[in-house]
C-alpha cells in the first residue's frame, strides 16, 4: 500500500520550485499580461478563474519534473469540467488525485475559500466515469494543491495596451503567494460552496487551510464521505418531495 503522506512530503519539497516559477524575489506574480504577435501587452483581469488557469499552466512543467523524479505517471484532465486536474499513478499502479485550487485573501486571516468538487455524480456513484478520469473509488487519496494570493491594491486598467518597454511598470494583479497541499476532507466544511452549487465548500481561515484543520479533519474521511454523500440542498430535497435530513455537521 502506497503511503500517501510520502507523496505529500515529496510534493511539499517542490514548493520552493513552484514559487520560483510563479513569483519574483519580492513575491510579486511574474505574469504581467498577455502578449500578441505585435508585442502589445494586455493586462490580466482579477477574475479568479483566469488567474487559476494561468497558474496551472505555469506549474505543470515543474509538476512533470516532480513526477519524473519519483517515477510517477501524471495525467492532466482533458476537459475543463472533469475531476481531478491531475492524476498521479505510482509504480504500483495506485492513483492519487490532485486538484489545483486558487483563491485570494479577504484580510490577513481569511480567504475567499475554495470549492472542492461536486458532492453529487461521481462522488456518490463511485464506480462512475462521468466527469472524472477514473472512478472515484480507484483513487487512494484526494489532494488539493491550493494557491492563495493577495489581489493588487493598485488600480488595474484592463483596457490599456502596453509595450515591452512598459513591462517593468505594469502592476501585477496578484502578489504574496502561499501554497498548500492537504487532503480534500481536511479542508472541507459542512456547507456547499458559493451560490446554489452542488460543490463542497472549504474552510476560509488561512491557518486552517494551511494546517488542514477543517471540521472533518479530526472526525476522519469516513465521516466526511458519509456526510457529503447524503447531503441534500433544498432543491434536491424538493425534487424528491422530502426535506434535507440535516443542514450542518452538528445535526
Amino acid at each position: 500500500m502506497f503511503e500517501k503522506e510520502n507523496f505529500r512530503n515529496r510534493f511539499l519539497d517542490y514548493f520552493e520550485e513552484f514559487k520560483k516559477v510563479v513569483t519574483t524575489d519580492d513575491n510579486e506574480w511574474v505574469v504581467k499580461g498577455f502578449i500578441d504577435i505585435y508585442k502589445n501587452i494586455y493586462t490580466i483581469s482579477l477574475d479568479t478563474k483566469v488567474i487559476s488557469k494561468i497558474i496551472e499552466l505555469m506549474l505543470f512543467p515543474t509538476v512533470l519534473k516532480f513526477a519524473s523524479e519519483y517515477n510517477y505517471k501524471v495525467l492532466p484532465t482533458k476537459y475543463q469540467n472533469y475531476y481531478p486536474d491531475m492524476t498521479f499513478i505510482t509504480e504500483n499502479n495506485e492513483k492519487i488525485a490532485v486538484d489545483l485550487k486558487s483563491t485570494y485573501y479577504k484580510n490577513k486571516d481569511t480567504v475567499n475559500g475554495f470549492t472542492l468538487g461536486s458532492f453529487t455524480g461521481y462522488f456518490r456513484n463511485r464506480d462512475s466515469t462521468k466527469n472524472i478520469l477514473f472512478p472515484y473509488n480507484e483513487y487512494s487519496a484526494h489532494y488539493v494543491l491550493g494557491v492563495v494570493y493577495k489581489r493588487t491594491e493598485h488600480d488595474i486598467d484592463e483596457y490599456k495596451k502596453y509595450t515591452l518597454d512598459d513591462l517593468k511598470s505594469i502592476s501585477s494583479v496578484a502578489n504574496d503567494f502561499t501554497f498548500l497541499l492537504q487532503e480534500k476532507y481536511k479542508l472541507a466544511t459542512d456547507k456547499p460552496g458559493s451560490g446554489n452549487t452542488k460543490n463542497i465548500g472549504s474552510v476560509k481561515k488561512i491557518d486552517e487551510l494551511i494546517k488542514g484543520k477543517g471540521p472533518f479533519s479530526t472526525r476522519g474521511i469516513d465521516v466526511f464521505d458519509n456526510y457529503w454523500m447524503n447531503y441534500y440542498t433544498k432543491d434536491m430535497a424538493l425534487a424528491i418531495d422530502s426535506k434535507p435530513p440535516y443542514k450542518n455537521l452538528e445535526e
Side-chain angles (χ1 to χ4, degrees):
M1 181 68 181
F2 180 78
E3 295 180 5
K4 58 187 178 184
E5 281 302 312
N6 200 25
F7 173 86
R8 180 173 183 269
N9 289 334
R10 290 171 174 176
F11 213 113
L12 290 175
D13 286 341
Y14 260 72
F15 270 22
E16 282 304 313
E17 293 203 39
F18 290 148
K19 197 167 185 178
K20 288 177 184 176
V21 169
V22 174
T23 69
T24 66
D25 291 338
D26 298 328
N27 212 2
E28 293 280 327
W29 197 18
V30 297
V31 175
K32 298 293 183 177
F34 302 101
I35 189 168
D36 64 22
I37 62 170
Y38 305 110
K39 300 181 181 180
N40 296 310
I41 299 173
Y42 305 88
T43 55
I44 295 172
S45 75
L46 289 169
D47 189 316
T48 54
K49 290 183 179 179
V50 174
I51 293 174
S52 179
K53 187 61 182 180
I54 296 172
I55 292 172
E56 178 185 338
L57 294 172
M58 294 175 72
L59 293 180
F60 196 67
T62 307
V63 169
L64 289 177
K65 179 183 174 184
F66 162 77
S68 176
E69 182 171 333
Y70 293 105
N71 295 317
Y72 302 139
K73 183 179 180 181
V74 58
L75 302 174
T77 183
K78 294 181 179 179
Y79 307 102
Q80 185 176 352
N81 62 340
Y82 267 50
Y83 175 88
D85 290 323
M86 296 174 282
T87 295
F88 289 83
I89 303 177
T90 69
E91 288 183 288
N92 59 357
N93 210 36
E94 287 197 52
K95 301 179 182 74
I96 298 173
V98 176
D99 228 18
L100 177 63
K101 300 292 182 181
S102 67
T103 190
Y104 57 89
Y105 285 93
K106 297 186 76 173
N107 55 53
K108 66 183 181 66
D109 299 316
T110 308
V111 305
N112 194 51
F114 302 130
T115 53
L116 301 177
S118 175
F119 57 81
T120 60
Y122 60 76
F123 188 84
R124 298 192 178 190
N125 183 3
R126 298 196 167 192
D127 293 318
S128 171
T129 55
K130 184 178 180 181
N131 298 111
I132 187 169
L133 188 57
F134 296 100
Y136 199 90
N137 63 8
E138 289 189 13
Y139 289 91
S140 61
H142 298 265
Y143 281 103
V144 172
L145 172 58
V147 183
V148 185
Y149 58 88
K150 288 182 180 177
R151 299 198 286 187
T152 183
E153 296 178 357
H154 303 294
D155 290 331
I156 300 295
D157 187 351
E158 296 180 16
Y159 302 101
K160 187 174 181 179
K161 184 170 64 176
Y162 297 87
T163 68
L164 285 175
D165 293 333
D166 303 317
L167 189 59
K168 290 185 178 180
S169 66
I170 302 174
S171 296
S172 298
V173 299
N175 58 73
D176 200 10
F177 284 76
T178 299
F179 292 84
L180 62 99
L181 185 73
Q182 292 288 351
E183 287 188 82
K184 178 163 65 173
Y185 82 93
K186 293 183 178 181
L187 301 181
T189 184
D190 58 352
K191 299 289 192 298
S194 59
N196 192 32
T197 63
K198 294 181 177 66
N199 287 301
I200 300 166
S202 79
V203 291
K204 296 184 177 182
K205 291 184 178 178
I206 186 63
D207 185 65
E208 291 178 345
L209 285 171
I210 292 173
K211 295 179 181 178
K213 290 191 173 182
F216 293 100
S217 61
T218 56
R219 294 173 171 87
I221 194 169
D222 290 340
V223 175
F224 164 78
D225 283 344
N226 182 271
Y227 180 90
W228 280 109
M229 288 175 76
N230 295 285
Y231 185 91
Y232 280 76
T233 64
K234 288 183 179 179
D235 289 345
M236 291 169 68
L238 284 172
I240 59 172
D241 194 25
S242 182
K243 66 177 184 178
Y246 48 79
K247 299 186 293 293
N248 54 57
L249 188 54
E250 184 179 349
E251 290 181 5

